[in-house]
Amino acid sequence: MNYQEILKYFPFANAVYGKNDANPTPIPVGNSAPVVVENFASTAGSGFDGALYKNPATGKYTLAFAGSVQLGPDWLQADPILAAQRITALTGEWIGSWHPQMTDALNFAYAAVKQIRRDLETSGIQNPTMDQIRERLDVTGHSLGGALAEVVAKFFGLPGANIDGPGVSTLVGLSNFTQMQNTVAADSDLPGFQSNYVLQPGAFTANAFSIVGMAGTHLDGTNFDAETKASASFYAGSTLVVLGLQTGGLASLAGLGVLVNSVTDHPMGGILGKIEQALNIPTVGSLPT
């Protein structure tokens, strides 16, 4: 697992959690300052939260999406929908469903891309193309936010990282995704937009630290890697659950226990600890779970 690459995106994926109704301005990340994304409004009650950052020294932008914060709409609705995409490797069944947060993430990224284009025009670049915008933009997020980042990466062909979020292959095949592609393709303000970007190998990474990151299937071109414990927990847990459901025995409870144990590695604080240990760097302090 490329911990150094994860550490590159980790501060953005973590900082976006600091944006809420009480603190509407996201936390700065180093030289990167939050930029207000105009002409965007989230779906009422969806629980969506995202931020756009700009590094004035490099002219680079980063989109970051928050995962679940509380036992609210995002945890009770969006997370289970994503995690349930892959029922088990044994049954071979795949399911997926769209959620308003996914629409919000695409609309937020769409508004951000148009805003970046206006910024480039202000800086003297005439008629910036989509490729010129994409050269300056990447995307990340943790948990549910990581899955949203993967959806956006596919939509606009962006580099970035999904930090312990489910895979989204099922979601990008749904009509909701295609309809949004058609909308953006018809926008004359974004010349050069392609309706089916192919992720370049290694440009977008997905990293599983727990059972959450093992759910679903990650997109073609995604550089996916999983910690040994996450992988073992998924296969052991899903197998035991299926056996338990088939026999009505205690195996299902044992499987659920394995899954719950894996989720303890999911919070940002736990992931940071693993990164620090792997890179042999001093602990920078604890993070809220």
Side-chain angles (χ1 to χ4, degrees), residues 17 40 44 50 66 107 128 150 200 242:
Y17 279 108
F40 168 77
N107 281 328
E150 193 168 323
Q200 298 303 310
V242 170

Side-chain angles (χ1 to χ4, degrees), residues 73-197:
D74 49 352
W75 176 260
L76 296 175
Q77 297 175 26
D79 268 354
I81 286 174
L82 286 166
Q85 285 183 71
R86 182 171 188 177
I87 298 178
T88 88
L90 296 180
T91 64
E93 294 183 60
W94 301 80
I95 60 174
S97 181
W98 199 258
H99 185 272
Q101 280 211 41
M102 300 159 199
T103 301
D104 288 343
L106 288 177
N107 281 328
F108 185 82
Y110 182 26
V113 164
K114 297 187 73 169
Q115 187 161 313
I116 293 171
R117 186 173 192 271
R118 292 193 295 271
D119 290 348
L120 294 179
E121 288 178 326
T122 301
S123 69
I125 300 176
Q126 295 185 354
N127 300 317
T129 64
M130 269 301 307
D131 285 344
Q132 288 176 306
I133 296 170
R134 291 169 57 242
E135 288 173 357
R136 294 164 171 81
L137 181 62
D138 53 18
V139 60
T140 191
H142 163 252
S143 189
L144 170 61
L148 298 178
E150 193 168 323
V151 170
V152 169
K154 171 62 177 176
F155 192 92
F156 285 108
L158 303 177
N162 173 350
I163 302 175
D164 208 31
V168 300
S169 291
T170 301
L171 298 176
V172 301
L174 297 179
S175 61
N176 310 73
F177 188 85
T178 304
Q179 289 169 4
M180 187 67 180
Q181 285 178 319
N182 294 337
T183 297
V184 177
D187 190 340
S188 59
D189 288 337
L190 293 180
F193 173 78
Q194 299 178 25
S195 59
N196 186 25
Y197 284 103

Side-chain angles (χ1 to χ4, degrees), residues 149-277:
E150 193 168 323
V151 170
V152 169
K154 171 62 177 176
F155 192 92
F156 285 108
L158 303 177
N162 173 350
I163 302 175
D164 208 31
V168 300
S169 291
T170 301
L171 298 176
V172 301
L174 297 179
S175 61
N176 310 73
F177 188 85
T178 304
Q179 289 169 4
M180 187 67 180
Q181 285 178 319
N182 294 337
T183 297
V184 177
D187 190 340
S188 59
D189 288 337
L190 293 180
F193 173 78
Q194 299 178 25
S195 59
N196 186 25
Y197 284 103
V198 176
L199 295 180
Q200 298 303 310
F204 188 88
T205 65
N207 308 280
F209 291 86
S210 74
I211 192 68
V212 179
M214 294 295 298
T217 304
H218 294 279
L219 297 170
D220 290 341
T222 297
N223 186 10
F224 174 68
D225 205 352
E227 289 222 326
T228 302
K229 184 178 179 181
S231 180
S233 295
F234 175 80
Y235 289 109
S238 60
T239 300
L240 288 170
V241 168
V242 170
L243 290 175
L245 292 175
Q246 290 175 343
T247 64
L250 296 177
S252 60
L253 296 179
L256 289 173
V258 172
L259 303 186
V260 171
N261 181 54
S262 172
V263 172
T264 62
D265 294 325
H266 179 61
M268 291 293 273
I271 293 174
L272 179 60
K274 289 179 178 294
I275 295 173
E276 292 169 338
Q277 182 179 16

Side-chain angles (χ1 to χ4, degrees), residues 22-46:
N23 301 290
T25 302
I27 301 170
V29 177
N31 294 328
S32 296
V35 178
V36 176
V37 176
E38 302 171 354
N39 302 319
F40 168 77
S42 62
T43 304
S46 73

